[in-house]
Amino acid sequence: MAEQPQPISPFKNFFAGGFGGVCLVFVGHPLDTIKVRLQTQPKPQPGQPPLYSGTFDCFRKTLVREGVRGLYRGMAAPIVGVTPMYAVCFFGFGLGKRLQQRKPDDILTYPQLFAAGMLSGVFTTVIMAPGERIKCLLQIQAATGETKYSGSLDCAKQLYREAGIRGVYKGTVLTLMRDIPASGMYFMTYEWLKNILTPEGKSVSELSAPRILFAGGLAGIFNWVVAIPPDVLKSRFQTAPPGKYANGFRDVLRELIRDEGIASLYKGFTAVMIRAFPANAACFLGFEVAMKFLNWVAPGL
């Protein structure tokens, strides 16, 4: 296996991870909006067509009704959260690797890299859960025609006023169920592809931008193959009226399978897959570029 990256610097990973996350949001948020609207659209009445017939129909209707701005609804919440979230995410992955090393130069196996990635999913949930809750509510309110929240901050204030901190963090368990295994797959796949794509005699740190983009994009796809079912449950649960699902995700799962079948757990699949490659390619390229810049301007940090 190719060499492991050098021990992480929290300072460098904070800014590099944050920059990578900002790149991911700008590239991927429009299709994230489409995904959430497809996942949360109401079941049509008998004889009536669904609100959206698919990914491209949802994209077209959003553009016609709301313009390009409609595709970026709710982006303020993930933008505010991406810097600390991706800093913690990449730091958590590095910490997970370090905890499994007996010596600093130990080479980790792919199962160990998967475990390190899972730890990063635990770390990011504290930031991810409320951001996801706010984002989903803002994304669907435009589609329903209601204007309950004027923006991300107003949404957070109203949620806290109505149900306290539990209202802001509604869906945390489902966020963990999504992000722990998906993050393991995400980082393990990225490291695996980087090793495969590294020419013989070269270092992983010397990978070209196109190869980093390819590795990051495929890692994003593998991540979402694992994450989509719990993500559908999370979106439904986080946008449901208070008290609708008394038993949490079990009630959501039961209702979805009863009313719409097992395929409903993969709602938004096309939107997610279209988004996954470019968004995560941008994230990892942004991270690697930022890390190289920080290593150049502050090699001792």
Side-chain angles (χ1 to χ4, degrees), residues 66 80 109 115 125 140 211 229 283:
E66 305 167 52
V80 169
T109 64
T125 296
I140 68 165
R211 294 188 180 206
C283 173

Side-chain angles (χ1 to χ4, degrees), residues 238-301:
Q238 288 185 319
T239 58
K244 181 176 181 181
Y245 300 116
N247 296 314
F249 74 90
R250 293 188 298 273
D251 283 354
V252 187
L253 179 63
R254 192 179 300 115
E255 179 187 83
L256 272 173
I257 294 178
R258 182 191 67 230
D259 295 345
E260 303 176 48
I262 194 72
S264 63
L265 293 174
Y266 284 88
K267 277 192 171 183
F269 181 85
T270 303
V272 168
M273 288 300 122
I274 293 173
R275 169 186 179 267
F277 191 95
N280 289 284
C283 173
F284 276 110
L285 181 62
F287 174 79
E288 298 286 0
V289 169
M291 282 296 291
K292 287 184 178 180
F293 176 76
L294 290 170
N295 286 332
W296 178 63
V297 299
L301 290 177

Side-chain angles (χ1 to χ4, degrees), residues 1 14 31 53 67 75 103 116 158 168 180 200 227-228 242 278 284 299:
M1 186 179 293
F14 179 85
L31 280 162
S53 62
M75 193 177 73
K103 297 180 295 183
Q158 290 195 45
V168 178
I180 290 177
E200 189 174 351
I228 287 178
F284 276 110

Side-chain angles (χ1 to χ4, degrees), residues 12 19 42 57 60 84 97 101 132 140 152 156 188 191 219 232 253 269 279 282-283 290 300:
K12 292 176 183 177
F19 182 71
D57 181 56
R60 180 183 61 81
K97 291 191 293 183
Q101 289 178 318
E132 287 277 299
I140 68 165
S152 299
M188 183 191 72
E191 295 290 333
V232 172
L253 179 63
F269 181 85
C283 173

Side-chain angles (χ1 to χ4, degrees), residues 190-218:
Y190 181 63
E191 295 290 333
W192 170 60
L193 288 168
K194 283 203 304 179
N195 289 330
I196 287 177
L197 294 170
T198 300
E200 189 174 351
K202 296 285 187 179
S203 167
V204 171
S205 62
E206 298 177 287
L207 272 182
S208 64
R211 294 188 180 206
I212 292 171
L213 286 169
F214 182 74
L218 278 186

Side-chain angles (χ1 to χ4, degrees), residues 17-52:
F19 182 71
V22 170
C23 293
L24 180 145
V25 172
F26 272 107
V27 172
H29 192 80
L31 280 162
D32 186 71
T33 298
I34 301 302
K35 178 206 70 173
V36 170
R37 291 186 176 182
L38 287 170
Q39 289 176 344
T40 59
Q41 66 175 319
K43 185 182 178 183
Q45 296 297 319
Q48 297 294 319
L51 182 60
Y52 307 115

